[in-house]
Amino acid sequence: MHRFVSLVSLLLLSLCASQLSAQTVSTLAGTGKQGHTGDGGPAVEAMVGEPYGLSLGPDGALYVCEIKSHVIRRIDEKTGTISTVAGSGKKGYSGDSGPALEAKLNEPYEVRFDQAGNMYFVEMVNHIVRRVDAKTGKIETVAGTGKKGFSGDGGPATEATFAQPHSIALDKNDNLYVCDIGNHRIRRVDLKTGIVSTFSGTGERKPTPDGAAVSGTPLNGPRALDFFDEGAGKGSLYLALREGNMVYRIDLDNETLHHIAGTGKKGYTGHGGPAKSATLSGPKGISVAPNGDIYLADTESHTIRVIRKKNGIIETAVGDGKKGDGPEGDPAKCRMARPHGVYVGPKGNVYIGDSETYRVRKLTSGQQ
């Protein structure tokens, strides 16, 4: 009996090892040089301008924010081609009510889609959130005035001011949440009424107590958000604190904050251990996988890390903690340079905005 159990254990270990080794990292777009070239051709031959946030769209294509080119690009994985879908490539703030391709943008940081297929993205330097209509392709501002500040709660979001908004998320009721990082707050826009309010944060850079109410609780550098439908109720928001070097789950039913990762100290430790005991290094991107695992773009450790939902263990998914550019293949050996964007698709593939190698990468699971 003991021998049988040992054999089963060996088989399970072998299976786990084969699954891990089957994971591969590849480049979807970018040549390693910064630029805005290649539309209509192969994405791997195109230059991209420092990719940040990214997301799969309702058409199955990958949409990528490029902060140096001031555009949103679309990568069709079926054909391998790349195109521009928003932004003229010129830095500025113009074009509302017109075609998205003729608008001037200023460093689009993150992109998301609502249930109707409309595209939302945040422009940090313009201090705004904009929307591209899925049917008409026209662009409009839905939050912010273009000026930096903190004002407007209780009124129209288009008359409110923000300070360096970075990340956005949409819940199942199409409420728009904005990481208003310069104000150390999360703002919420009711897209049905257009009214903005402060959802969480006080403007103070103080520690966030575990289990605290979202309202009236300080947030130290709220940088990245993702919504996850828990299957019942309103779902959850997952929040990465860049300056705070921690991750919280926000229960939208009870409106409470729950600490799930990071000690609050900056570092790159804890692989294989409890996520709450690990140190993080300036996380600037977050995405929840369909199985509930939480992926982080741990920017300043040049890695993608994952918090396993089943046991709360943190692991390094891509990278080794050192800055570099590849090589492709083995995720543990593929170095990156300050990745800002991470997005997990419905099949468990992980898309990465590897910002300073000017590449969009993909971690593909061998289980598919």
Side-chain angles (χ1 to χ4, degrees):
M1 181 65 179
H2 177 73
R3 184 180 178 186
F4 175 74
V5 171
S6 298
L7 285 171
V8 170
S9 298
L10 285 170
L11 285 170
L12 288 172
L13 287 171
S14 176
L15 178 62
C16 290
S18 66
Q19 288 175 344
L20 288 171
S21 63
Q23 289 188 314
T24 57
V25 176
S26 59
T27 294
L28 288 184
T31 63
K33 295 182 180 180
Q34 180 188 311
H36 179 213
T37 66
D39 276 357
V44 292
E45 297 176 10
M47 287 194 291
V48 298
E50 202 162 329
Y52 268 48
L54 29 65
S55 176
L56 290 177
D59 58 355
L62 183 68
Y63 291 77
V64 184
C65 293
E66 294 185 20
I67 69 160
K68 293 297 184 182
S69 302
H70 311 289
V71 296
I72 310 289
R73 306 286 282 278
R74 177 185 183 273
I75 301 168
D76 187 326
E77 285 195 79
K78 294 179 181 178
T79 64
T81 56
I82 192 169
S83 59
T84 300
V85 294
S88 66
K90 294 181 180 180
K91 181 179 178 179
Y93 177 30
S94 68
D96 275 359
S97 301
L101 283 168
E102 296 177 9
K104 290 181 181 179
L105 317 182
N106 197 345
E107 297 195 8
Y109 267 50
E110 193 162 89
V111 59
R112 292 286 185 261
F113 291 84
D114 67 15
Q115 296 175 75
N118 300 305
M119 181 172 74
Y120 291 76
F121 59 90
V122 61
E123 296 177 51
M124 192 184 84
V125 182
N126 278 337
H127 315 289
I128 59 171
V129 181
R130 298 173 96 174
R131 174 174 58 203
V132 178
D133 188 278
K135 295 179 180 178
T136 66
K138 291 185 177 182
I139 192 170
E140 64 178 328
T141 299
V142 295
T145 65
K147 295 181 179 180
K148 183 179 180 180
F150 174 63
S151 67
D153 276 358
T158 51
E159 297 176 8
T161 54
F162 296 75
Q164 299 177 321
H166 181 277
S167 181
I168 53 176
L170 291 147
D171 67 16
K172 63 174 67 177
N173 294 315
D174 281 343
N175 289 304
L176 174 70
Y177 298 84
V178 183
C179 274
D180 194 7
I181 62 174
N183 289 317
H184 296 281
R185 290 173 167 89
I186 297 172
R187 312 280 288 277
R188 179 168 60 187
V189 180
D190 183 329
L191 294 177
K192 295 175 183 176
T193 65
I195 300 299
V196 67
S197 59
T198 291
F199 176 68
S200 189
T202 62
E204 301 170 291
R205 296 182 60 178
K206 294 181 178 180
T208 304
D210 190 13
V214 295
S215 179
T217 297
L219 301 174
N220 188 3
R223 181 57 66 101
L225 276 174
D226 195 27
F227 172 75
F228 186 66
D229 188 347
E230 304 284 357
K234 295 179 180 178
S236 298
L237 285 172
Y238 286 81
L239 169 68
L241 300 179
R242 188 266 185 196
E243 285 85 357
N245 290 301
M246 301 174 85
V247 179
Y248 285 80
R249 180 180 71 86
I250 300 175
D251 185 323
L252 291 178
D253 287 304
N254 299 318
E255 295 198 348
T256 49
L257 290 144
H258 303 275
H259 174 224
I260 60 172
T263 64
K265 294 182 179 180
K266 182 179 178 181
Y268 173 52
T269 63
H271 174 74
K276 289 183 179 180
S277 302
T279 55
L280 308 179
S281 194
K284 295 179 183 175
I286 191 167
S287 182
V288 188
N291 67 356
D293 288 349
I294 303 145
Y295 285 78
L296 299 173
D298 200 33
T299 304
E300 292 162 34
S301 73
H302 314 291
T303 61
I304 301 298
R305 303 175 80 177
V306 56
I307 304 159
R308 302 297 182 188
K309 184 177 183 180
K310 63 180 179 182
N311 54 19
I313 298 297
I314 192 169
E315 301 169 359
T316 298
V318 185
D320 65 359
K322 296 180 181 179
K323 189 175 183 179
D325 184 3
E328 297 182 0
D330 185 350
K333 296 178 180 178
C334 182
R335 290 180 176 172
M336 297 175 292
R338 293 180 60 82
H340 280 72
V342 63
Y343 183 83
V344 188
K347 295 181 180 179
N349 293 320
V350 183
Y351 299 87
I352 304 162
D354 192 2
S355 305
E356 293 184 9
T357 67
Y358 312 111
R359 300 182 191 273
V360 178
R361 301 187 191 268
K362 180 181 179 180
L363 173 64
T364 306
S365 172
Q367 301 178 49
Q368 297 174 55

